[in-house]
């Protein structure tokens, strides 16, 4: 997702942030280090699954870490999601409710039933409040995008229906990097 006005910070700023996050001075940021550094706007820790998902997206060496070369893209990714989240958190509550989630997903091009929106809120609401925090919003959107992309590979006529056998389905799901 790209948003106008979101420019990449300068290299010195990124290096300073990277060094603060890289607590063990290994030259790489692990999921644990990133989780400690990220904030979802509450006092609760960033969702470990979301952190793992983001590390996986930017880990070019498949080592479970992010190098400084990849950190700038990760930083931009998180700040773009932060801006996106703020745009849809209309009441500035620090979380996304069902209505705000539906608005966000509709603006992304998804046409989902209210029942499925309810299911997404239940799935990504870690605290049972009927709302989704920033980190869980990222996870929800990335997972929805990933699953939709996998589905579209089989939906060659773009009619919203696919016919696959059980092993194809399992292969499709287990091959996903989620």
């Amino acid at each position: 997702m790209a948003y106008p006005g979101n420019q990449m910070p300068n290299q010195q700023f990124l290096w300073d942030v990277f060094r603060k996050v890289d607590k063990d001075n290994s030259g790489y940021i692990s999921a644990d280090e990133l989780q400690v550094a990220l904030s979802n706007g509450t006092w609760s820790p960033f969702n470990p699954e979301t952190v793992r998902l983001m590390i996986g997206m930017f880990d070019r060496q498949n080592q479970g870490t992010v190098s400084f070369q990849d950190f700038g893209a990760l930083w931009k990714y998180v700040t773009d999601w932060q801006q996106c989240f703020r745009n849809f958190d209309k009441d500035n509550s620090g979380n996304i409710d069902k209505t705000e989630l539906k608005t966000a997903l509709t603006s992304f091009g998804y046409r989902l039933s209210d029942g499925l929106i309810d299911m997404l809120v239940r799935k990504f609401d870690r605290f049972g409040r009927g709302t989704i925090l920033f980190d869980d919003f990222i996870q929800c959107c990335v997972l929805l995008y990933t699953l939709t992309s996998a589905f579209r590979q089989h939906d060659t006529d773009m009619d919203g229906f696919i016919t696959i056998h059980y092993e194809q389905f399992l292969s499709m799901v287990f091959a996903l990097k989620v």
Side-chain angles (χ1 to χ4, degrees):
M1 260 183 216
Y3 293 93
N6 271 355
Q7 298 172 355
M8 191 69 102
N10 71 42
Q11 290 295 305
Q12 186 58 51
F13 173 81
L14 285 174
W15 179 245
D16 291 344
V17 172
F18 183 87
R19 283 195 348 237
K20 287 178 186 165
V21 175
D22 181 20
K23 295 290 186 194
D24 64 0
N25 295 315
S26 66
Y28 295 91
I29 292 176
S30 69
D32 290 341
E33 289 170 327
L34 185 61
Q35 182 184 15
V36 169
L38 291 174
S39 169
N40 63 16
T42 68
W43 293 108
S44 62
F46 219 76
N47 185 329
E49 277 303 302
T50 306
V51 174
R52 184 192 60 77
L53 187 64
M54 290 189 311
I55 289 282
M57 293 170 71
F58 293 94
D59 175 15
R60 289 193 211 162
Q61 292 84 29
N62 276 335
Q63 297 176 344
T65 59
V66 175
S67 68
F68 177 67
Q69 289 75 18
D70 300 326
F71 181 68
L74 173 62
W75 178 269
K76 182 168 179 4
Y77 185 78
V78 171
T79 56
D80 284 353
W81 272 115
Q82 212 170 28
Q83 184 59 43
C84 175
F85 183 84
R86 286 183 185 132
N87 287 339
F88 293 110
D89 180 15
K90 294 298 183 192
D91 60 359
N92 294 316
S93 62
N95 54 56
I96 297 283
D97 65 20
K98 175 187 172 179
T99 303
E100 292 165 333
L101 180 63
K102 184 168 186 158
T103 301
L105 296 179
T106 300
S107 78
F108 299 157
Y110 296 103
R111 303 290 178 256
L112 304 174
S113 69
D114 286 344
L116 190 55
I117 297 290
D118 287 339
M119 183 183 296
L120 290 172
V121 170
R122 282 191 309 276
K123 168 112 178 111
F124 293 98
D125 173 15
R126 280 185 289 153
F127 300 104
R129 298 180 186 140
T131 59
I132 300 174
L133 297 173
F134 170 59
D135 49 344
D136 298 315
F137 176 71
I138 294 172
Q139 186 181 358
C140 174
C141 293
V142 169
L143 188 58
L144 187 59
Y145 173 81
T146 303
L147 292 170
T148 300
S149 296
F151 182 90
R152 284 186 177 153
Q153 288 179 350
H154 295 280
D155 187 15
T156 54
D157 59 358
M158 301 299 286
D159 67 353
F161 294 92
I162 62 173
T163 302
I164 58 176
H165 60 76
Y166 182 61
E167 280 201 24
Q168 280 178 302
F169 169 75
L170 290 177
S171 295
M172 180 177 76
V173 171
F174 288 129
L176 298 176
K177 217 178 168 184
V178 291

